[in-house]
Amino acid sequence: VIADIGCGAGDDVAAYVKMGAKRVIGVEPSRVMLEEARKTLAEKGAEAELTEGEWERIPLPDESIDIATSRYSFHVQDSFDIAFREVARVLKPDGIFFVAAPHPIHDAKVIREQHLKPGQLMKVPIYDGKFIVEIPPHTMDDYLSDVSRKLFDLEDKLEYSMHEDPAEKDPSGLVLKFRKKTPTEIPR
């Protein structure tokens, strides 16, 4: 069972179905985006479950999923700790959590470009500028917090660049692979 949390327009949900996942659940806080996800699934002939829900209260039973994914949705929160706890709650023991997000170096560049003061949110266009989302900037310490390290092992980290200018060397994206610790591995 795969849960794509913050599934947006449902492209990844449809992709997981097409890759052969037996059960895929898309969780999304926005009713507008859930409707877009329904359209995407219909257009791509993919059957999956879609449900309204937020990172702070993922509407799934305890230990009910094998893999949780987040492609460019986890980072929209102010604080990750509640979300890490919720993902750990819904993942089965040894479950995997993949996060793809803008790299913190990218966030720092946006802060400079938008002349933001501490505490101000970044304004980021998504879906070809159809929507503007306000996102708090994050550091690598946010992703690798005490809570995340208590509940998960970081198994892999990929830093990549999608810059059009080949001279640009700073990473723009980040993919993290976490594995949920078993109950005996979690410190009390």
Side-chain angles (χ1 to χ4, degrees), residues 11 15 20 60 62 77 91 95 109 119 132-133 143 148:
D11 294 301
L60 299 172
D62 294 357
Q77 308 165 76
L91 276 174
K109 286 183 177 183
I132 302 291
V133 292
Y143 291 99
S148 76

Side-chain angles (χ1 to χ4, degrees), residues 49-107:
E49 301 167 43
L50 296 173
T51 186
E52 188 175 346
E54 299 186 11
W55 284 101
E56 294 83 4
R57 289 175 304 286
I58 299 171
L60 299 172
D62 294 357
E63 297 186 353
S64 61
I65 60 174
D66 301 290
I67 299 171
T69 65
S70 166
R71 187 168 62 91
Y72 288 84
S73 66
F74 188 74
H75 68 287
V76 302
Q77 308 165 76
D78 289 326
S79 171
F80 296 156
D81 289 349
I82 293 171
F84 275 122
R85 287 185 187 99
E86 272 295 280
V87 171
R89 180 185 65 76
V90 301
L91 276 174
K92 293 176 182 175
D94 269 344
I96 301 293
F97 179 32
F98 289 101
V99 174
H103 197 285
I105 290 173
H106 176 265
D107 284 1

Side-chain angles (χ1 to χ4, degrees), residues 55-171:
W55 284 101
E56 294 83 4
R57 289 175 304 286
I58 299 171
L60 299 172
D62 294 357
E63 297 186 353
S64 61
I65 60 174
D66 301 290
I67 299 171
T69 65
S70 166
R71 187 168 62 91
Y72 288 84
S73 66
F74 188 74
H75 68 287
V76 302
Q77 308 165 76
D78 289 326
S79 171
F80 296 156
D81 289 349
I82 293 171
F84 275 122
R85 287 185 187 99
E86 272 295 280
V87 171
R89 180 185 65 76
V90 301
L91 276 174
K92 293 176 182 175
D94 269 344
I96 301 293
F97 179 32
F98 289 101
V99 174
H103 197 285
I105 290 173
H106 176 265
D107 284 1
K109 286 183 177 183
V110 172
I111 290 167
R112 285 191 306 272
E113 289 168 2
Q114 295 183 0
H115 308 288
L116 299 177
K117 295 179 176 72
Q120 286 186 299
L121 300 177
M122 300 179 296
K123 291 178 178 25
V124 180
I126 60 172
Y127 296 103
D128 297 322
K130 192 187 278 188
F131 303 98
I132 302 291
V133 292
E134 293 186 335
I135 300 173
H138 291 290
T139 66
M140 196 62 80
D141 287 343
D142 294 335
Y143 291 99
L144 305 177
S145 69
D146 290 342
V147 171
S148 76
R149 289 193 315 270
K150 177 182 176 186
L151 299 172
F152 297 93
D153 287 321
L154 177 64
E155 290 198 335
D156 206 358
K157 176 176 82 169
L158 171 68
E159 299 172 300
Y160 62 93
S161 177
M162 296 187 334
H163 298 292
E164 293 177 13
D165 179 0
E168 180 64 62
K169 302 291 185 210
D170 288 334

Side-chain angles (χ1 to χ4, degrees), residues 165-178:
D165 179 0
E168 180 64 62
K169 302 291 185 210
D170 288 334
S172 57
L174 174 69
V175 178
L176 301 171
K177 178 186 177 188
F178 295 98

